Amino acid sequence: MPKSSEPRSYLVLENYIGGKFVSCGNHIDSYDPSTGEVYCKVPDSGKEEVDAAVAAAKEAFPHWSARSPQQRGDVLNKLADLIEANMEDLVQAESKDQGKTVTFARTVDIPRSAYNFRFFASSVLHHTTDCSQMDHMGCLNYTIRCPVGVAGLISPWNLPLYLLTWKIAPAIATGNTVVAKPSEMTSVTAWMMCKLLEEAGVPPGVVNVVFGTGQRAGDALVGHPDVPLISFTGSTATAQRITERSAPYCKKISLELGGKNPAIIFADADLEQCVETTIRSSFSNQGEICLCTSRIYVERSIYSEFLEKFVAAARKWKTGAPSDPSNNNGALISKEHLEKVRSFVALAKSEGAVIHCGEGVNHLDLPKVNKSGYFMPPTVISGIPDSSRVMQEEIFGPVTCVCPFDTEDEAVARGNGVRYGLSATVWSRDVGRVHRLAQRLQAGLVWTNCWLVRDLNLPFGGMKHSGVGREGGKDSYHFFTEVKSITIKH
């Protein structure tokens, strides 16, 4: 008998609405990317489930928003404790569901998920509002901030629990209630987190999680008249649809979108550190991070040396079974995504580029169980013009392109020559130069001589097609609250 006739062998998820798990009539298959096999059934929710979740969130809002920031913070800290207490289960689940290595989930995803709750539990206590005197008018002006209401949160598949908690934590810390929709491809850790909410002291209806596709569940959430705020992380194309659906309701929207991030490497860079870090920034999490480097511009005098060392390092970046601690990368998220990423490499080749290592060059020796998984080795490309789609579009896989440049002005112009503007990295020992480039590059985040060093107090977000708005300590506080100006005449 085919496996599909044995539903009991699958993990079956349920929506979490009003503090209870609620089964759904229809389900979507979710695959283990490292084996290519279905292992989980995710609810295929639609308007009915979203309406129920929004109603539960609306009902919970008055009581939750009336609590003090300290009381809400205590609940967030308890939830962080529970995530840490269940660390290894969450790590294993995130790796199996997403394809990333167990090591990456253990060192990055799940610790950061717990820290998101701790950070916002604390940061929400330290914001102050404005006050101004108008003595000549006998008036005092001041501002207050109030939670917005029901927040609609839509998170992506690349850092599932990490980016879901990055939204839930500030939303509920500031007194909102939420309806969250994780990616249908990576829903398991969100479902596991729901099991911890009651024990953490989260009242029913404060956090609701509805699983399903963007076309059905996401669309119902974004177009719901009682959801005044949407925070979305994902593709620019989906964000355009969200903006259109939100427009009739004048919703507050925060959009964290794609990137085509440049690294600009000058001849005076510390080459050893630069190569090591740029390998990480290009290939970490299979290149499935919006902040990954996908265009590397190298000053011509060191171009050949850099390329040789970079390709040698890329060949050592191991890809294979996510459970093997010696592997740096696991599997890509899906068969369709793997095919998309491969198509960019094929396009580069057809345009006359050189594929130095990776796709079509290096054979992956995978364990038998992983033969049908969605694996791709780190791929380095050179000899490709900036006008190519390979240099213009977000690939979101373990692929990076290396090009020489001659002048600082040229490097800046080429770095800015895409529709995205999320992040950039600059490698140089010249203090004046790094400040100049940081100012001139069109990117929401610029790292110099490092990558992915994050202070959560600071704004996170992109320019141009990389997004709208910022999130972070103060920015999330502002986004998840409405400000009122109040004038008292005495």
Side-chain angles (χ1 to χ4, degrees), residues 254-364:
S254 174
L255 306 171
E256 199 277 283
L257 312 176
K260 190 69 181 170
N261 310 306
I264 298 177
I265 300 164
F266 289 92
D268 65 343
D270 177 336
L271 206 55
E272 197 173 313
Q273 190 194 350
C274 170
V275 167
E276 183 191 326
T277 304
T278 308
I279 286 286
R280 274 198 308 115
S281 73
S282 300
F283 304 127
S284 282
N285 203 49
Q286 303 77 240
E288 294 170 329
I289 303 177
C290 53
L291 301 162
C292 275
T293 303
S294 54
R295 298 177 297 140
I296 303 170
Y297 294 104
V298 186
E299 196 165 356
R300 196 175 296 276
S301 62
I302 60 160
Y303 174 74
S304 299
E305 184 188 358
F306 173 86
L307 187 58
E308 186 183 332
K309 288 184 171 174
F310 188 77
V311 170
R315 287 178 186 273
K316 288 181 189 160
W317 188 266
K318 285 183 66 181
T319 299
S323 56
D324 183 341
S326 71
N327 287 332
N328 303 100
N329 272 3
L332 274 71
I333 184 67
S334 68
K335 189 166 187 267
E336 295 75 16
H337 187 59
L338 175 62
E339 284 166 3
K340 177 195 142 181
V341 176
R342 280 178 171 162
S343 75
F344 277 104
V345 181
L347 175 62
K349 201 171 181 183
S350 74
E351 292 177 346
V354 179
I355 317 297
H356 293 271
C357 61
E359 179 61 25
V361 179
N362 301 104
H363 173 70
L364 282 177

